[in-house]
Amino acid sequence: PTGHAAFAAVLQPPMSVPSATKGGELFVPYRAVGLVSAGLPVAVVQHGGETFVTASLGRTFQIYNCAKLRQVFVGPSLPAGITALGAHDDYTLVACGTAVVVYKRAELVATLEGEHTAPVRHLLAMGSSVVSVDATGLLVAWQLPSGEVAGRLHPGFAASALCHPATYLNKVLLGAPDGRMQLWNLRSSKRVHEFEHGWRAAVTAFEQSPALDVVGVGLADGRLLLHNLKFDTTLLELRHTHGDAVRCLAFRTDGQPWLVSGAASGALHVWHLERRARLSLEPCAHEGGVASCHFLRGRPELLTAGAADNSLRMWSSDLHSGELSALRGRAGHAAPPTLVRFHDDELHVGGGPGGQTHLLSAGGDRTLRRSSIWSAQQDCELSQGRETKRRSMHETSVRERRLPPVLALASSQRRERDWANVVTCHAGSPVAYSWDTTTKALAPHTLAARPAAPITAVAISACGNFAFLGSAIGAIDKYNLQSGKPRAAAAAEERHEGAVRGLAAAADGRTLFSCGGGGAPRGGGGG
């Protein structure tokens, strides 16, 4: 997997896995943990009173119920990476290389192939048919579920955006990288109209408005327009600050004249169309851009997907101010993980199922996360709110406000409900931080190296009462986790000549093993 890929897999063979002697494989991936969305635009579909969203996971996909963003289905593995998604009624449409695979729930209905010679970049569901557009610009309309070709055309460019205007039978609106906009008839494969307004910037997003004949148009130079297709006139033009490219658009459908635009910077802009003004701005909604945004039908709740931060989020909007507030979310690491550990007491649990169901992980995004192997509902990020607030006055980047990258971590379940039970050390920091997995946040106490030096290794005693810190100058300190007070330190003659690289507490609670840059490992009294 690329980018923000899943950071762990439980290597347990599924039912149809070939034996090691057959395929020459010792381990076969079974379950991805911590992957929510690979950054493609999501597909949203309504079933009765419930809304479902389909997100790509690289070579497979998963479906969430928007009510609580609960995972309801994980799709089968595909032979290549997913390049586009679509959904219509019970059908899930997945573009994989030059083919489009159609599923009805878990059942494979059809594989639409033989027309495209380049990877499919866009999918659009239109009634009982699906439209696919590849990298060369070829557009093919397929009938569902038969898979018959209903039409094909090439507009002369590789479309950068497309949509089906409401009530425009068999018509598709195409946007070009050079700013052109054309309306085509899929049945006759003929161009109906080329709109006179050349936008002089790539068309990046279309969205049908609640009003017939009017669509929202997003451009790469930060402009967003309301355009009347029937009269070929622009009704309204708005603009993102600093030319921030528009990635996606969403109209409220509960009677409020609001439009939300997602930007390449990760910001969400809320616009009031009657006042022709911006109501509010959420500058850091997603790291690395917003891939999709969608208002739930008839409700003031907004669903967004990040283009690079491996997350889905639901927002509620204030009726008067337009301010967006986070309602719920699903997220994983936004950058590759650098450290993964089972959260358990190996010495006492012995690898049993009770102690190895959760993972603790740190990543390049400077977050610490706890993930469940079996239930994605239990995944969470441990809050750094206390520290990020201190840095918010000096740093504009969300990532820079967080603690430095984690070098090492230690955890224990022994006193999990009593006090801090996770300790981390961070790049260049002379302070180790304690965390509480019960409150899912930083604990009150920080543990400092004595004398001050960057901390390079940490450990927790078998009883869960004490933390051990190893520093870059070879010193080792012992702290009480409940009070945060120092309890002992290695004598000067017992220090390592170089930085302490590893610490491990023995099960007897009396011995601590350490390894440093000076050579052989050492064992000493830990009591």
Side-chain angles (χ1 to χ4, degrees):
T2 58
H4 38 266
F7 62 77
V10 180
L11 302 177
Q12 176 179 332
M15 291 187 297
S16 60
V17 170
S19 66
T21 55
K22 247 182 173 179
E25 297 174 336
L26 180 61
F27 294 113
V28 178
Y30 174 62
R31 182 187 295 266
V33 178
L35 186 57
V36 176
S37 172
L40 290 176
V42 298
V44 181
V45 66
Q46 187 100 7
H47 288 298
E50 295 186 310
T51 305
F52 297 88
V53 55
T54 304
S56 164
L57 301 183
R59 291 195 175 192
T60 186
F61 61 91
Q62 59 187 1
I63 300 175
Y64 292 90
N65 188 321
C66 290
K68 292 187 178 180
L69 285 183
R70 180 176 58 86
Q71 185 186 77
V72 295
F73 179 74
V74 178
S77 182
L78 295 164
I82 295 173
T83 55
L85 288 170
H88 175 68
D89 289 340
D90 291 334
Y91 295 111
T92 300
L93 315 170
V94 183
C96 174
T98 60
V100 178
V101 187
V102 182
Y103 293 95
K104 187 173 184 179
R105 297 184 178 92
E107 178 187 355
L108 175 63
V109 175
T111 301
L112 314 179
E113 55 188 349
E115 294 290 330
H116 293 291
T117 58
V120 176
R121 298 300 185 198
H122 302 280
L123 289 177
L124 176 65
M126 294 176 53
S128 61
S129 61
V130 57
V131 176
S132 57
V133 182
D134 66 22
T136 67
L138 176 65
L139 185 149
V140 181
W142 315 78
Q143 286 282 52
L144 292 178
S146 65
E148 296 179 2
V149 176
R152 63 176 65 81
L153 61 90
H154 199 298
F157 55 84
S160 54
L162 73 160
C163 81
H164 169 55
T167 71
Y168 283 52
L169 187 64
N170 300 323
K171 308 296 191 304
V172 62
L173 183 66
L174 303 179
D178 60 4
R180 284 181 290 167
M181 197 166 74
Q182 298 177 352
L183 187 68
W184 285 76
N185 187 311
L186 293 176
R187 292 291 183 185
S188 64
S189 299
K190 293 182 179 180
R191 188 176 67 193
V192 177
H193 182 69
E194 178 162 0
F195 296 88
E196 294 181 4
H197 296 76
W199 307 121
R200 300 181 303 280
V203 179
T204 55
F206 283 133
E207 182 67 15
Q208 173 66 50
S209 78
L212 295 180
D213 302 319
V214 179
V215 296
V217 183
L219 304 177
D221 62 1
R223 285 181 292 163
L224 51 149
L225 317 161
L226 287 187
H227 196 79
N228 188 302
L229 303 180
K230 186 175 182 179
F231 298 104
D232 194 5
T233 56
T234 299
L235 307 177
L236 176 65
E237 179 174 327
L238 303 166
R239 185 183 293 271
H240 287 174
T241 52
H242 310 298
D244 196 4
V246 179
R247 284 278 185 86
C248 52
L249 299 169
F251 289 91
R252 277 186 67 164
T253 57
D254 59 349
Q256 294 295 327
W258 289 14
L259 170 66
V260 170
S261 56
S265 66
L268 288 173
H269 302 254
V270 183
W271 308 89
H272 196 290
L273 300 179
E274 291 182 352
R275 299 177 192 171
R276 298 173 176 254
R278 184 167 57 197
L279 281 176
S280 66
L281 170 66
E282 185 68 32
C284 303
H286 288 278
E287 290 186 63
V290 183
S292 298
C293 58
H294 181 88
F295 270 110
L296 270 60
R297 186 184 302 171
R299 296 165 64 182
E301 296 178 6
L302 177 72
L303 169 71
T304 62
D309 65 353
N310 188 23
S311 70
L312 294 173
R313 293 194 172 97
M314 292 290 298
W315 307 81
S316 63
S317 50
D318 183 86
L319 180 61
H320 302 289
S321 66
E323 294 287 340
L324 296 176
S325 56
L327 194 59
R328 63 184 71 93
R330 289 283 175 264
H333 283 293
T338 55
L339 185 65
V340 183
R341 297 285 185 271
F342 276 105
H343 175 44
D344 69 341
D345 292 292
E346 296 177 3
L347 298 170
H348 302 283
V349 178
Q356 298 206 357
T357 60
H358 288 88
L359 294 166
L360 289 173
S361 61
D365 57 355
R366 301 190 181 187
T367 62
L368 181 65
R369 304 192 67 87
R370 187 183 70 177
S371 305
S372 169
I373 292 174
W374 309 120
S375 174
Q377 292 290 105
Q378 299 179 24
D379 295 358
C380 66
E381 177 186 343
L382 273 63
S383 172
Q384 302 181 26
R386 185 185 72 208
E387 296 297 321
T388 54
K389 287 177 182 177
R390 293 178 182 176
R391 295 172 169 83
S392 61
M393 297 294 292
H394 310 286
E395 299 288 349
T396 56
S397 167
V398 174
R399 190 170 296 188
E400 292 301 320
R401 295 177 194 169
R402 298 172 182 151
L403 295 174
V406 175
L407 292 180
L409 69 86
S411 71
S412 172
Q413 292 178 326
R414 275 294 190 180
R415 308 305 293 267
E416 188 167 25
R417 298 185 182 278
D418 299 323
W419 50 71
N421 63 319
V422 177
V423 176
T424 57
C425 63
H426 302 257
S429 174
V431 174
Y433 291 85
S434 59
W435 308 73
D436 191 331
T437 55
T438 302
T439 61
K440 303 175 185 177
L442 280 168
H445 306 302
T446 55
L447 318 176
R450 300 173 302 156
I455 298 173
T456 54
V458 292
I460 293 179
S461 64
C463 63
N465 292 325
F466 301 104
F468 301 95
L469 318 178
S471 70
I473 60 174
I476 299 175
D477 296 286
K478 177 181 176 182
Y479 276 84
N480 183 289
L481 281 172
Q482 181 181 14
S483 64
K485 294 181 179 179
R487 285 292 177 257
E493 62 272 12
E494 295 178 348
R495 292 180 182 175
H496 288 276
E497 295 178 7
V500 178
R501 299 301 182 191
L503 293 172
D508 60 9
R510 297 177 179 275
T511 308
L512 177 71
F513 295 94
S514 63
C515 183
R522 300 178 183 178

